[in-house]
Amino acid sequence: MRAGERAHRLLHEDIVEWRLAPGTVLSEVEQAARLGVSRTPVREAFSRLLSEGLVEPQPGRGLAVSPVSAESVRAMFELRMALDAQAAGLAAQRGDAGLFAELARRLEAMAEDPGQDDDDRHAYYALADRLDAALDAAVASSYLVQAQRSLRVHLSRVRRLSKGDERRLRGAAAEHAQIARAVAAGDPELARACTRVHLSNSMAAILAAISTTREEHP
Amino acid sequence: MRAGERAHRLLHEDIVEWRLAPGTVLSEVEQAARLGVSRTPVREAFSRLLSEGLVEPQPGRGLAVSPVSAESVRAMFELRMALDAQAAGLAAQRGDAGLFAELARRLEAMAEDPGQDDDDRHAYYALADRLDAALDAAVASSYLVQAQRSLRVHLSRVRRLSKGDERRLRGAAAEHAQIARAVAAGDPELARACTRVHLSNSMAAILAAISTTREEHP
DNA sequence: TTCTTCCTCTATGTATACACAGGTTTGGGC
DNA sequence: GCCCAAACCTGTGTATACATAGAGGAAGAA
């Protein structure tokens, strides 16, 4: 694999998985040494991270991993609300009803009996990802899907904060199921409304997790 | 100014202003020679253009300026519909009523008497840009504004196609005025609806311009 | 003791040399 | 005359050398 691509993927993962904490300063030579490549591919990786918004220029000190705040989560969800609602609405008009009915059925089953261990959790996340992928495929609108994709990078970074909240998991499954049902029914307005409700709850859960974390590490 | 930044700005302008037509193949050495810099800053510029979506990788032939099609315009407006409607709604909740009332007043004047020469057109575009900037400032939501900004790059590329349509200009001014009025009135639902109407008309005008162009140059 | 100035060091910006891959063209053989 | 293979050429990928700017520290003067 190309060194530049590899460097980008490693740094990307390190940031999203919180191995590189927000505020950490990155220098080209330092990362080049750590990743075992020269500065050139690291420069390429930095440039991509910058355009993704995962790092910010730090005047005179190179780049720093961008911070995560309650304010930034709110801003993130104000965009996500617009994107996902639009996507759900378009999918309801264009999607394959059978596919979404099937997804709804499986999500409902999961909402009623979420299970407790890691395997069950992973099964739920996999199913939620399949719903996202099905929505992407149904809207077939490159710019919209692209915007969602680049936002999901940031979402996956903050979502780690609320993972493991069992009660939220059950609710999220039920909300996903209802979105899938609305799309299967071909009801754009309902699909949009369900999406807004789901995102509102998700955001509340993440904001709660952030304030808890802040209290633990003030 | 840094050579990489300059190279990016020049290439960016060349693409948006249609001096580099869609499909044109770009090679590092060629552009480095044309712009009078070495390959390194050109590489940086290419990488930024790639992440903006203005160029696409052409397997085995370097990069090519991305194509513009009726389909891509539709996809663009499906995203813009979501972003601008959300922005207008948020601005109606948060914006300074006085500022938008003033903008509405001036846009109405322009809709009633648009004028005919280039100066009048420029005055209208300047006013429309001021409305966009005021909406951006009012929503104060970094992710949403950032998404709008990156989409506007592509929009400005296709908007050139419909510029000079005098009848559309008058209608667009009236629609902008109504958006500003709705925001000034603090009515999010109306602001969203006005935005959707405006964008629907804009898209129709651009699609009409594209099919006309296609007929002229089949 | 503190402020200012200069020096140094470390960071990035740029150029260029070299490696390598893929496509095309040309030459030889059938 | 056609087909296959090899070499070349053009393109990007990577490393490194050098220029330069900015920040931080040290030293001298007030």
Side-chain angles (χ1 to χ4, degrees):
Chain A
M1 179 187 285
R2 280 173 39 208
E5 198 173 335
R6 197 166 57 90
H8 173 257
R9 218 194 46 207
L10 291 172
L11 284 166
H12 185 106
E13 275 181 15
D14 283 344
I15 294 174
V16 170
E17 308 282 335
W18 290 76
R19 287 190 291 270
L20 288 173
T24 308
V25 174
L26 307 175
S27 96
E28 288 181 8
V29 285
E30 168 200 12
Q31 294 304 316
R34 186 170 79 94
L35 302 174
V37 295
S38 84
R39 278 178 52 209
T40 308
V42 172
R43 275 185 79 74
E44 184 192 328
F46 276 17
S47 141
R48 289 174 65 179
L49 293 172
L50 204 54
S51 75
E52 289 171 323
L54 286 178
V55 299
E56 296 176 349
Q58 192 86 350
R61 301 201 92 129
L63 301 176
V65 178
S66 20
V68 170
S69 63
E71 165 58 26
S72 71
V73 170
R74 182 189 62 74
M76 233 177 262
F77 272 83
E78 278 170 1
L79 173 56
R80 194 184 176 194
M81 204 81 84
L83 297 178
D84 285 14
Q86 174 81 327
L90 291 174
Q93 293 170 354
R94 300 175 185 164
D96 169 26
L99 171 61
F100 286 98
E102 166 69 9
L103 283 169
R105 198 185 55 72
R106 300 178 62 174
L107 281 161
E108 275 161 20
M110 212 155 261
E112 283 168 19
D113 175 21
Q116 294 297 330
D117 59 9
D118 267 6
D119 280 353
D120 294 322
R121 252 202 302 272
H122 280 126
Y124 164 66
Y125 290 131
L127 204 51
D129 284 347
R130 280 190 53 195
L131 176 59
D132 277 345
L135 288 168
D136 282 2
V139 298
S141 181
S142 52
Y143 286 92
L144 178 57
V145 170
Q146 177 59 34
Q148 287 184 292
R149 218 185 300 277
S150 67
L151 181 60
R152 280 187 194 136
V153 170
H154 295 268
L155 287 167
S156 67
R157 189 152 77 119
V158 303
R159 198 150 43 194
R160 287 191 75 76
L161 293 172
S162 79
K163 274 197 177 168
D165 183 340
E166 298 293 345
R167 284 163 307 180
R168 175 66 197 133
L169 214 67
R170 186 180 209 122
E175 291 158 16
H176 275 145
Q178 194 171 3
I179 292 173
R181 267 203 308 276
V183 171
D187 186 338
E189 276 315 311
L190 184 59
R192 287 199 177 88
C194 292
T195 301
R196 288 212 164 82
V197 168
H198 168 59
L199 293 181
S200 172
N201 292 338
S202 281
M203 179 170 73
I206 290 176
L207 288 177
I210 285 184
S211 59
T212 307
T213 310
R214 284 284 149 72
E215 282 159 18
E216 285 168 9
H217 315 286
Chain B
M1 180 186 287
R2 279 173 40 210
E5 196 172 335
R6 197 165 58 89
H8 173 258
R9 216 194 48 205
L10 290 172
L11 284 166
H12 186 105
E13 274 182 15
D14 283 344
I15 294 173
V16 170
E17 308 282 335
W18 290 75
R19 286 190 291 269
L20 288 173
T24 307
V25 174
L26 307 175
S27 98
E28 289 181 8
V29 284
E30 169 201 12
Q31 294 304 316
R34 186 170 77 95
L35 303 174
V37 295
S38 85
R39 277 180 53 211
T40 307
V42 172
R43 274 186 80 74
E44 184 192 329
F46 276 16
S47 144
R48 291 173 64 179
L49 293 172
L50 205 53
S51 75
E52 289 172 322
L54 286 177
V55 300
E56 294 177 349
Q58 194 85 349
R61 303 200 91 131
L63 300 176
V65 178
S66 22
V68 170
S69 63
E71 165 58 27
S72 70
V73 169
R74 183 189 61 75
M76 235 176 258
F77 272 83
E78 278 171 0
L79 173 56
R80 194 184 177 195
M81 203 82 82
L83 297 179
D84 286 15
Q86 174 81 324
L90 290 175
Q93 292 169 356
R94 299 175 185 165
D96 169 27
L99 171 61
F100 287 97
E102 166 68 10
L103 283 169
R105 198 183 55 70
R106 298 178 60 175
L107 282 161
E108 275 160 20
M110 212 156 262
E112 283 167 18
D113 176 23
Q116 294 298 329
D117 59 11
D118 266 6
D119 279 354
D120 294 322
R121 252 201 301 274
H122 280 126
Y124 164 66
Y125 290 131
L127 203 51
D129 284 346
R130 281 191 53 195
L131 176 59
D132 278 345
L135 288 169
D136 282 1
V139 297
S141 181
S142 53
Y143 287 91
L144 178 57
V145 170
Q146 178 58 34
Q148 287 184 294
R149 218 185 300 277
S150 67
L151 181 61
R152 279 187 194 136
V153 170
H154 296 268
L155 287 167
S156 67
R157 189 152 78 120
V158 303
R159 199 149 41 196
R160 287 192 76 76
L161 293 172
S162 78
K163 275 197 177 169
D165 183 338
E166 298 293 346
R167 286 162 307 179
R168 175 65 197 134
L169 215 67
R170 186 180 211 123
E175 291 158 18
H176 275 146
Q178 195 172 1
I179 293 173
R181 268 203 307 275
V183 171
D187 185 338
E189 276 315 310
L190 183 59
R192 286 199 177 88
C194 292
T195 301
R196 288 212 164 82
V197 168
H198 168 60
L199 292 181
S200 171
N201 292 338
S202 281
M203 179 169 72
I206 291 175
L207 289 177
I210 285 184
S211 60
T212 306
T213 309
R214 284 285 149 74
E215 282 160 20
E216 284 169 8
H217 315 288

